[in-house]
Amino acid sequence: MSSMQGQGLFSQARIGWLSAVAVAAYALLFIALPYANVGVMSFWEKDLYSIRPAFSFTNYERIFARSVYSQVVSNSLATAAYVTLASSVLGYLLAYFMATYARRWQFLLLALLMIPLWTSFLLRAYIWKIILGRNGILNTAMMAAGVIEQPLSFLLYNQFSICLALTYIFLPFVALPVYAALERIPREYVEASGDLGAPPLATFFHVVFPLSVPALLSGVTIVFCLSFGDFITPALLGGSDDIMIANVVISQFGAAFDWPFGSALAIGVLCVVVALVTFSQRLGNMAGRARSGE
């Protein structure tokens, strides 16, 4: 019977090969080929009204020659770092609260955390424009309460509003994996630490937190990459000095009609993301070896 199953149409080995072929085809068609096309185009040149194939480093030299692009990259990195830090702290605290102190309300809290993910990204960003606007909900409520006499104009169209909206949008990407990691920690570990005389804070830093570091690193990596490449939120909530690198890339493929230079910028963004993912993976491996005592 087992040999018949092994030789059937859907044998384990055949399913494995079909899965591998499907993954390889997907990666080739939707990841490798588009990026290869962008990489080749980044060496092309743009005339006044046309784009012509060439092999030139002019587009990359232009990135480093003009300080405006380094300022945009610095602004994008700073915004992504602020959002990642805020999302990590708030997301970890929320996950720890759900896993430790609110076990009766876990389903409700998880639903409240995940329901916003089912709505449009554009809608979630636009909501903050309604909240923080000069005639928005926040200013109206504070004026009605007598806290302020005039609407506050500094709440919107700056880096603060971008970071606030992105933190709200990306917080679940930290909270959910950390919560799953905290739920998998055996309660016996925590109880054993307490039985040995360790106070709760020492138990957290020496038992709970190290076991949740891989999940936290994965969430941090995802949030940083998504924040660094976001363009909708800066376009809606940012000012003229808060342009991010993704907005510059889109403008090159749109109004500027400079696809080669836009491709060079996109390759630069890709290099930053790949470097970050590699660094995060190495940190995760180091944390794993530290836990195992290697």
Side-chain angles (χ1 to χ4, degrees), residues 116-136:
L117 298 177
W118 301 344
T119 60
S120 166
F121 185 97
L122 177 62
L123 178 62
R124 281 180 283 160
Y126 193 80
I127 285 174
W128 285 99
K129 196 169 185 177
I130 299 174
I131 295 174
L132 301 176
R134 185 174 178 82
N135 298 316

Side-chain angles (χ1 to χ4, degrees), residues 30-42:
F30 298 107
I31 299 177
L33 286 180
Y35 276 116
N37 184 38
V38 171
V40 170
M41 189 175 291
S42 67

Side-chain angles (χ1 to χ4, degrees), residues 11-174:
S11 64
Q12 194 72 21
R14 186 164 297 178
I15 292 175
W17 275 107
L18 288 175
S19 301
V21 170
V23 171
Y26 176 85
L28 178 64
L29 289 175
F30 298 107
I31 299 177
L33 286 180
Y35 276 116
N37 184 38
V38 171
V40 170
M41 189 175 291
S42 67
F43 296 101
W44 290 10
E45 293 178 348
K46 176 183 177 295
D47 294 332
L48 189 57
Y49 298 110
S50 64
I51 297 171
R52 61 185 180 85
F55 185 77
S56 170
F57 290 95
T58 304
N59 297 310
Y60 291 99
E61 293 173 354
R62 183 177 164 191
I63 295 176
F64 294 101
R66 298 187 179 180
S67 60
V68 63
Y69 298 114
S70 61
Q71 292 175 359
V72 171
V73 171
S74 300
N75 179 61
S76 303
L77 290 172
T79 301
Y82 296 149
V83 173
T84 304
L85 179 62
S87 300
S88 302
V89 174
L90 296 176
Y92 197 99
L93 292 176
L94 177 60
Y96 188 77
F97 176 76
M98 289 193 301
T100 307
Y101 299 106
R103 303 184 70 83
R104 290 181 57 187
W105 307 98
Q106 284 179 346
F107 180 79
L108 176 62
L109 293 175
L110 283 173
L112 292 175
L113 193 62
M114 296 179 65
I115 285 175
L117 298 177
W118 301 344
T119 60
S120 166
F121 185 97
L122 177 62
L123 178 62
R124 281 180 283 160
Y126 193 80
I127 285 174
W128 285 99
K129 196 169 185 177
I130 299 174
I131 295 174
L132 301 176
R134 185 174 178 82
N135 298 316
I137 297 173
L138 186 59
N139 271 322
T140 302
M142 287 194 295
M143 290 182 65
V147 178
I148 57 175
E149 296 181 355
Q150 297 293 329
L152 302 177
S153 58
F154 64 84
L155 297 176
L156 198 58
Y157 303 125
N158 51 40
Q159 194 179 43
F160 165 76
S161 56
I162 297 174
C163 292
L164 183 61
L166 289 179
T167 300
Y168 159 74
I169 293 172
F170 294 138
L171 187 143
F173 291 93
V174 174

Side-chain angles (χ1 to χ4, degrees), residues 192-212:
S193 177
D195 293 340
L196 292 174
L201 201 59
T203 300
F204 172 78
F205 282 110
H206 293 286
V207 178
V208 177
F209 185 74
L211 293 175
S212 61

